[in-house]
């Protein structure tokens, strides 16, 4: 009723086509039991493990080996055997007959069917090769993490990152996650978000590093806003790490306001009175004085009339000296230019005192 080509193409040695039919029947039943148990992916595990442990090509195949692979995957062996029935019985096999019917349909085309075979990465896939099954087989041939986007659609696989973030790290504030869905499962890798790279093991921690890290949740550092003022422990000039800004103290992940007045860090001059503010301080001076923050001193804010008069005279004298200096400079410059011009002209123009302007240009010979 059912047959398959001899695997070695030699009827005198090795395995027989019957053993191929029986193993195909077992794999069909493994697929059915895996689906019924809610673990359809277990069939792929069976196919991979069977190739490694029970390959006919490598002379490793036996009934016991195939059944051991089924048991190792946690699939109920008794259900698989019940599905297979008795391959030696002189009767139709429900599973194989259904496969034949699916292949040739109900008609009189013949009773012998060779199932079509798909080869992907040197691995054979047999059965009803409809497009979804073929695409799944192709996706399974990619190295994990390199599969195309079509393999990650909800019709092809289950996104494991949707359940508890796949057990990977996640930043609740920015919803940045290290979980990356793959066709076979998921991988935990610190991501790159908007050009900012995260560094870490991907499972318990990831932190933003490099330029632009402060734009994403302040690089994971402390930050707080009160009123219209925001302070952050993330610095754009530092490629990593957190440091509390001026006016705060802490480890960068937690910062508290520093009381400059209480700790005598500022506004310490005798005439100063200090008031602490969030992230800074305010310092005033007694009387009519002005506080100079850079020098931490108080200086007088007003002057007497005599002082103003002295200052006015000083300014007037300075202005007068400036004007006089400018006039003197212009006079000396003009005199110097005049003398230079006269010196140049004297080299090319004869002076009146030489009395030679009436001398003829050419001396005539006397008449004979």
């Amino acid at each position: 009723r059912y047959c398959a080509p001899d695997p070695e193409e030699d009827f005198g040695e090795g395995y027989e086509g019957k053993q191929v039919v029986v193993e195909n029947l077992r794999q069909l039943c493994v697929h059915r039991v895996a689906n019924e148990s809610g673990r359809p992916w277990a069939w792929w595990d069976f196919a991979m493990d069977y190739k490694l442990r029970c390959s006919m090509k490598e002379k490793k195949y036996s009934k016991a080996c195939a059944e051991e692979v089924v048991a190792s995957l946690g699939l109920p062996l008794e259900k698989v055997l019940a599905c297979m029935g008795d391959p030696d019985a002189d009767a139709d096999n429900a599973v194989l007959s259904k496969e034949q019917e699916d292949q040739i349909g109900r008609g009189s085309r013949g009773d012998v069917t060779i199932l079509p075979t798909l080869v992907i990465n040197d691995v054979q896939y047999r059965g009803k090769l409809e497009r979804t099954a073929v695409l799944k087989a192709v996706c399974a041939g990619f190295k994990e993490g390199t599969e195309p986007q079509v393999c990650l659609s909800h019709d092809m696989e289950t996104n494991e990152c949707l359940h508890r973030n796949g057990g990977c790290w996640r930043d609740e504030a920015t919803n940045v996650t290290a979980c990356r869905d793959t066709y076979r499962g998921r991988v935990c890798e610190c991501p790159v978000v908007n050009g900012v790279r995260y560094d870490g093991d991907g499972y318990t921690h990831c932190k933003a590093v490099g330029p632009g890290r402060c734009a994403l949740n302040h690089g994971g550092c402390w930050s707080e806003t009160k009123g219209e003022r925001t302070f952050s422990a993330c610095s754009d000039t530092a490629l990593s790490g957190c440091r509390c800004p001026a006016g705060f103290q802490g480890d960068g992940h937690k910062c508290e306001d520093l009381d400059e007045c209480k700790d005598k860090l500022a506004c310490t001059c005798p005439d100063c009175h200090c008031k602490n503010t969030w992230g800074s301080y305010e310092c005033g001076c007694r009387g009519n004085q002005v506080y100079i923050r850079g020098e931490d001193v108080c200086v007088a804010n007003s002057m007497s009339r005599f002082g103003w008069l002295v200052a006015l005279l000083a300014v007037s004298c300075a202005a007068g000296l400036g004007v006089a200096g400018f006039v003197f400079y212009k006079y000396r410059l003009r005199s110097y230019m005049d003398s230079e011009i006269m010196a140049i002209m004297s080299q090319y123009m004869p002076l009146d005192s030489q009395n030679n302007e009436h001398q003829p240009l050419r001396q005539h010979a006397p008449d004979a």
Side-chain angles (χ1 to χ4, degrees):
R1 295 178 179 85
Y2 320 103
C3 62
D6 188 280
E8 294 90 1
E9 297 182 357
D10 187 343
F11 295 109
E13 65 177 277
Y15 299 104
E16 300 176 353
K18 176 183 177 180
Q19 292 171 304
V20 175
V21 173
V22 172
E23 186 53 38
N24 286 341
L25 175 61
R26 179 179 289 106
Q27 294 197 18
L28 288 169
C29 289
V30 168
H31 185 267
R32 289 189 177 185
V33 172
N35 282 334
E36 291 172 0
S37 63
R39 297 170 55 209
W41 56 85
W43 183 89
W44 295 99
D45 295 336
F46 174 84
M48 295 301 296
D49 290 355
Y50 172 84
K51 176 188 175 183
L52 296 175
R53 299 167 59 179
C54 309
S55 172
M56 287 187 178
K57 184 177 181 180
E58 297 177 6
K59 309 299 182 182
K60 297 179 181 179
Y61 171 75
S62 67
K63 175 184 177 184
C65 179
E67 292 179 353
E68 185 179 349
V69 173
V70 174
S72 68
L73 295 175
L75 295 173
L77 180 59
E78 63 276 9
K79 289 187 177 182
V80 174
L81 295 177
C83 171
M84 293 177 62
D86 184 5
D88 296 325
D90 185 12
D92 290 341
N93 184 282
V95 177
L96 294 179
S97 295
K98 180 64 168 59
E99 286 295 308
Q100 279 190 334
E101 180 180 323
D102 290 341
Q103 290 297 319
I104 65 175
R106 298 179 181 272
S108 58
R109 291 181 53 187
D111 297 331
V112 179
T113 302
I114 299 178
L115 298 179
T117 301
L118 175 69
V119 179
I120 303 174
N121 292 344
D122 297 328
V123 178
Q124 294 185 6
Y125 297 89
R126 301 184 181 93
K128 184 179 179 181
L129 300 181
E130 52 92 19
R131 58 183 181 180
T132 302
V134 172
L135 182 56
K136 287 183 177 181
V138 172
C139 292
F142 282 92
K143 182 179 179 181
E144 189 171 22
T146 65
E147 58 275 286
Q149 190 63 34
V150 66
C151 295
L152 303 179
S153 63
H154 68 277
D155 295 330
M156 297 296 298
E157 58 94 35
T158 301
N159 189 347
E160 296 187 15
C161 292
L162 299 179
H163 180 64
R164 299 180 61 85
N165 201 47
C168 304
W169 170 88
R170 179 184 180 185
D171 184 2
E172 299 293 342
T174 60
N175 201 29
V176 175
T177 175
C179 185
R180 182 160 61 91
D181 184 40
T182 65
Y183 182 76
R184 293 186 180 89
R186 62 93 179 100
V187 292
C188 296
E189 295 178 350
C190 293
V192 176
V193 181
N194 297 331
V196 179
R197 181 173 62 87
Y198 282 79
D199 190 18
D201 62 5
Y203 294 93
T204 59
H205 70 280
C206 291
K207 63 178 180 179
V209 297
R213 65 190 183 96
C214 295
L216 294 175
N217 194 31
H218 301 277
C221 303
W222 168 87
S223 176
E224 189 174 349
T225 300
K226 288 186 178 181
E228 297 181 354
R229 304 187 66 185
T230 300
F231 289 95
S232 173
C234 185
S235 174
D236 290 325
T237 59
L239 299 182
S240 61
C242 303
R243 180 177 296 178
C244 293
F248 293 87
Q249 59 183 354
D251 59 2
H253 298 282
K254 184 178 181 180
C255 299
E256 297 180 351
D257 179 50
L258 183 64
D259 192 338
E260 293 86 353
C261 301
K262 180 179 179 181
D263 297 336
K264 302 296 183 182
L265 300 177
C267 196
T268 58
C269 59
D271 295 330
C272 297
H273 54 86
C274 186
K275 177 184 178 182
N276 185 59
T277 60
W278 188 62
S280 185
Y281 65 94
E282 295 178 357
C283 190
C285 298
R286 297 185 181 90
N288 194 17
Q289 299 184 82
V290 176
Y291 178 69
I292 307 299
R293 195 181 187 94
E295 303 296 332
D296 195 30
V297 297
C298 289
V299 297
N301 188 34
S302 61
M303 301 177 62
S304 61
R305 290 184 178 180
F306 178 74
W308 281 108
L309 180 60
V310 171
L312 182 61
L313 289 175
V315 172
S316 299
C317 291
L321 290 174
V323 173
F326 178 75
V327 173
F328 178 73
Y329 168 76
K330 295 289 288 186
Y331 172 76
R332 289 295 303 273
L333 180 62
R334 181 63 179 271
S335 299
Y336 173 76
M337 293 298 294
D338 289 345
S339 63
E340 288 293 319
I341 293 173
M342 291 297 295
I344 294 172
M345 294 180 64
S346 65
Q347 296 180 14
Y348 298 98
M349 298 178 63
L351 300 178
D352 294 342
S353 59
Q354 295 179 349
N355 297 321
N356 58 356
E357 64 273 11
H358 300 293
Q359 292 181 5
L361 296 177
R362 180 183 295 175
Q363 299 293 332
H364 297 279
D367 296 334

